[in-house]
Amino acid sequence: MKVRVSNWRFSQKKTTEELLDYFNRFSGLHCSVVRSLEIIKEAQDLRKGITIVYTVEVDMGEDIDLESLRKKNSKVQINEVKVELIDPTLDFINENSAPKGNACVIGSGPAGSFAAYALALSGHKVKVFERGKKVEDRFKDVKRLFEEGIFDEKSNICFGEGGAGTFSDGKLTTRKKHPWIRWLLKVMVECGAPESILTASKPHIGSDRLRLVAINFRKKLQAMGVEFHFETCITDFEVVENKLVSLKADDGRVFEDPGSVVWASGHSARDSYRLLHEKGLSINKKAFAVGVRIEHPQSLVNDWIYQNEELDEAANYSVTCNFTKERSVYSFCMCPGGQVVCSSSHEGYNVVNGMSNYARSEDYANAGIVVKVSPDDFKGEDALAGITFQEKIEKLAFEASLGQYAAPAQLVTDFLDGVKSEALLPSSFKPKLVPAELGELFPEEITHYLREALVYFDGRYPGFAGKEAQLIGVETRTSSPVTIVRDEKGVSPEISNFYPCGEGAGYAGGIISAALDGLFIAKCIKDMV
C-alpha cells in the first residue's frame, strides 16, 4: 500500500533518509514496516522567509489503517501535514507485448509520441507521421530563421519532431492530478531530462535539453519497432462504412489498413482542421486567448519576487485580472531568463512565443499577456471561425513587420498612450523588431482590456508597465480554437477508428496534459481491442 504525505514543511532541506526518519516518528510505525520513501515534490515558500515544503510517497510493507495513521499524525505538530492513500487501481497500462493490430499516429508532439509509446507497449504495430523534420534538422531551420529571417513553412517552431513544445521553456506543470504524471516524468528522465523534474514544484526541461529528450525518445520507440515517417504530411484519407481505411500523404503515398488512427496534429495545423471539417467530422468552436508578449529585464522580475532574498534561480511571476466572467487578462507561458521567438507556422503570418533554456540564464524575462476570447468574438456558423479570427490578427502583424519574419513591437508606455514608439529597447527577439502601434492589430475591445490590465498589473509589480517594459506581437496560439468531438471512449462519432488527441484537438494545454491525453487515447484503443 502507498500513502502520499503532502504539505510537509521544514526550515531546511531534508534528505530522503531524514524524511523517512521523520515519517516513522510521526506515524508511530517501525522502520521495518516502510519499504521506501520517494520525494515527489520539493518547493520553496517565500512568504515568511524560506520554508521548504515536501510531498512524498511512502510504500508501506503491509496494509495499515489509514484513519489510525491520521489520528497519530494529528497528535504531532507538523503544520497540517496531509496523509492520503494512493489509489492502486489507477496504475498505468500494463505492458503486454502480445500483437494487437495496427495503429497510426499523426503528429510527434507530446500527445502523439506518448500515444505511440503506450500503443507499442500494448503490442500494436505503430507508424508515426510527422509533417516536419527530425529535431537535428529542424534546429538548423529554426537557427536560420533567428539569424537570417528565413522562414520554412514545413520546418519551424510549430512543425517538426517534438511539436511546438520542443522550442519552449519545457514547462511540465499542469493543473491535472493523475498518477500517470510520475511515470511520464520518469520516462523523460530516462531519455535525458534533468532528474530535478522529479521533485521540483515547477519542473521544466528547457529547450536545449528538450531536443536531446526528443531524439532519445524517438530512438527508444524505434527500438520497440515504431516506424517514423518524417516530412510526411497526411493530406487526405478514405472512409468506408464509418471506418478509416487508408491515409494519403502529400508525396502521393497511400497507407492502407491504418488500424486505429490517433490524430494529434497540434494547434497550428490549420490545413488538418480544414481537412477534418471538409470530411464532415464534428468540430466545435472554443474559447482561447490572444495578446502580446511582454519583456522585462530579469533583474527587475527578481526584485519583485525575491525582494531581499538572494536566490540563484531566475524568478517567475503569474498575474491575472478578471474584468467579467467572460473577459479576463492573464499571463501565459512565462519564460524566466529566456527569449521571445518567432512562432509563425504559415507564410505571410507573424506570431511570437516564449522560449528558455534549462539554465534560464538570459538577461530578459518574457510572458504572454493575453485576453480571453470566446465564440462571441468570432461569430458565424463556420466551426473554424476562431482560426479566421487568429489569421486576421497574424496577417496584420506580418504587414506591421514590413512583410518580414521580424516582430512588431512597442514600449508599454507608448502602448498605453496609443502612439508608435520612436525607438525600441534592447530585446532577446531575433532577427529584429519593427516599431508598430500594436493596439491597431486587435479588435478595439481586446486592446482596451490589454491596456487596463497592464495598469492593474503595474499596481502589483511596480514597473510592470514602466519604462523598462516592452511589448512584442502577436501571441495568438495559446490553445486550440476548436474542439474535435470525441466520445467518452476517445473516438469520433463519425469514424469508428479515429481518435482526436492532444492540444490540437482541444483536450490539452501544455506538455504534460498533452502527454496524458496521448496515454488516455492509447488506453482507450487498448481497451477496444
Side-chain angles (χ1 to χ4, degrees):
M1 184 184 78
K2 284 189 177 182
V3 296
R4 175 168 290 189
V5 183
S6 53
N7 198 38
W8 213 357
R9 309 169 77 84
F10 298 90
S11 59
Q12 296 179 332
K13 286 191 175 185
K14 300 295 180 183
T15 66
T16 301
E17 292 74 19
E18 288 173 326
L19 291 171
L20 181 59
D21 181 58
Y22 273 94
F23 177 79
N24 282 290
R25 273 196 268 164
F26 86 72
S27 66
L29 298 171
H30 298 293
C31 289
S32 60
V33 175
V34 180
R35 287 179 178 167
S36 64
L37 180 146
E38 184 177 11
I39 298 173
I40 302 300
K41 184 181 294 184
E42 180 184 294
Q44 291 182 336
D45 185 344
L46 303 177
R47 289 174 293 183
K48 294 181 180 180
I50 300 178
T51 300
I52 311 300
V53 186
Y54 287 96
T55 298
V56 303
E57 281 188 6
V58 185
D59 189 355
M60 314 301 294
E62 59 185 46
D63 289 346
I64 62 170
D65 184 346
L66 190 60
E67 288 304 316
S68 297
L69 181 57
R70 287 197 183 103
K71 289 177 182 178
K72 289 176 182 178
N73 176 41
S74 68
K75 297 176 184 178
V76 183
Q77 297 300 315
I78 310 188
N79 297 306
E80 300 180 356
V81 171
K82 181 180 178 183
V83 181
E84 55 187 326
L85 182 67
I86 302 298
D87 187 348
T89 64
L90 293 177
D91 287 340
F92 178 62
I93 306 166
N94 293 323
E95 298 184 20
N96 183 353
S97 59
K100 293 290 193 307
N102 295 335
C104 287
V105 178
I106 316 300
S108 69
S113 294
F114 274 97
Y117 183 36
L119 287 166
L121 284 174
S122 300
H124 287 79
K125 185 177 180 180
V126 183
K127 290 184 175 70
V128 176
F129 298 94
E130 169 56 56
R131 69 170 62 208
K133 298 179 181 179
K134 296 179 181 179
V135 164
E136 302 93 323
D137 297 326
R138 183 185 179 196
F139 177 72
K140 296 175 185 176
D141 294 329
V142 170
K143 185 178 180 182
R144 187 163 52 249
L145 172 63
F146 291 171
E147 294 179 351
E148 304 173 45
I150 299 174
F151 171 72
D152 186 335
E153 194 171 42
K154 295 183 178 181
S155 179
N156 47 63
I157 280 184
C158 286
F159 296 149
E161 184 177 20
T166 303
F167 293 93
S168 70
D169 185 49
K171 293 179 182 64
L172 304 178
T173 51
T174 177
R175 294 178 182 176
K176 295 185 176 182
K177 296 186 182 298
H178 199 292
W180 291 353
I181 293 176
R182 187 71 178 169
W183 182 89
L184 284 171
L185 296 177
K186 288 182 176 180
V187 172
M188 292 177 186
V189 170
E190 290 173 4
C191 293
E195 289 192 14
S196 59
I197 68 173
L198 297 176
T199 56
S201 59
K202 296 180 179 179
H204 78 285
I205 299 179
S207 183
D208 51 343
R209 296 199 179 188
L210 264 170
R211 295 194 291 272
L212 174 64
V213 172
I215 292 169
N216 289 339
F217 196 28
R218 180 219 310 158
K219 292 178 179 178
K220 183 183 185 73
L221 269 61
Q222 287 175 326
M224 299 170 63
V226 176
E227 187 179 305
F228 282 84
H229 296 265
F230 290 104
E231 300 182 63
T232 303
C233 183
I234 298 301
T235 56
D236 200 1
F237 54 81
E238 182 182 5
V239 178
V240 176
E241 295 181 354
N242 201 39
K243 183 178 180 180
L244 197 155
V245 295
S246 67
L247 296 166
K248 184 176 181 179
D250 54 352
D251 59 6
R253 285 182 295 166
V254 176
F255 298 87
E256 305 284 354
D257 190 22
S260 300
V261 177
V262 180
W263 200 274
S265 57
H267 64 38
S268 294
R270 289 169 172 169
D271 51 350
S272 292
Y273 288 135
R274 291 185 169 112
L275 171 64
L276 300 183
H277 188 52
E278 291 170 3
K279 293 288 186 178
L281 273 75
S282 298
I283 300 177
N284 294 332
K285 293 179 284 188
K286 66 177 278 291
F288 55 102
V290 299
V292 292
R293 280 266 144 188
I294 191 167
E295 192 168 53
H296 300 96
Q298 183 62 52
S299 58
L300 179 61
V301 178
N302 290 349
D303 289 342
W304 294 337
I305 306 303
Y306 294 148
Q307 298 181 14
N308 296 325
E309 301 288 349
E310 292 187 8
L311 297 174
D312 293 334
E313 295 180 7
N316 62 75
Y317 62 80
S318 177
V319 289
T320 303
C321 182
N322 295 310
F323 291 102
T324 66
K325 184 177 180 181
E326 291 76 25
R327 190 73 81 191
S328 61
V329 183
Y330 56 92
S331 56
F332 171 78
C333 187
M334 196 273 165
C335 295
Q339 65 185 101
V340 183
V341 295
C342 175
S343 191
S344 297
S345 59
H346 296 81
E347 292 182 1
Y349 299 87
N350 268 3
V351 190
V352 296
N353 197 3
M355 185 179 84
S356 295
N357 288 331
Y358 179 70
R360 291 176 167 174
S361 58
E362 300 299 322
D363 293 335
Y364 297 97
N366 70 81
I369 302 296
V370 294
V371 184
K372 181 181 177 182
V373 294
S374 71
D376 288 338
D377 293 298
F378 36 92
K379 296 178 181 178
E381 296 181 2
D382 188 349
L384 306 184
I387 295 176
T388 304
F389 181 85
Q390 289 175 324
E391 288 178 331
K392 182 177 180 180
I393 296 171
E394 294 166 13
K395 189 69 173 178
L396 290 172
F398 185 74
E399 293 170 358
S401 303
L402 307 179
Q404 309 169 78
Y405 293 97
Q410 189 174 20
L411 304 184
V412 172
T413 50
D414 290 337
F415 176 74
L416 295 177
D417 292 336
V419 297
K420 182 186 292 188
S421 299
E422 294 184 2
L424 298 172
L425 296 171
S427 171
S428 65
F429 183 89
K430 295 178 181 180
K432 65 178 181 179
L433 299 178
V434 177
E437 213 296 78
L438 297 180
E440 296 177 351
L441 308 183
F442 301 97
E444 184 177 346
E445 187 177 3
I446 301 300
T447 298
H448 166 75
Y449 282 115
L450 278 173
R451 287 176 174 146
E452 291 292 311
L454 287 167
V455 174
Y456 176 80
F457 298 151
D458 192 75
R460 178 175 178 184
Y461 295 127
F464 194 94
K467 62 182 181 180
E468 295 183 274
Q470 184 162 249
L471 300 181
I472 303 172
V474 291
E475 176 93 45
T476 54
R477 311 285 181 86
T478 53
S479 65
S480 172
V482 303
T483 300
I484 303 172
V485 177
R486 70 188 190 194
D487 63 20
E488 68 279 358
K489 295 181 180 179
V491 71
S492 163
E494 287 82 22
I495 305 176
S496 62
N497 59 334
F498 186 90
Y499 295 82
C501 180
E503 190 166 346
Y507 297 97
I511 292 173
I512 290 296
S513 62
L516 283 173
D517 200 56
L519 298 183
F520 166 73
I521 290 298
K523 188 174 187 305
C524 289
I525 293 171
K526 176 177 179 288
D527 291 344
M528 288 288 288
V529 175

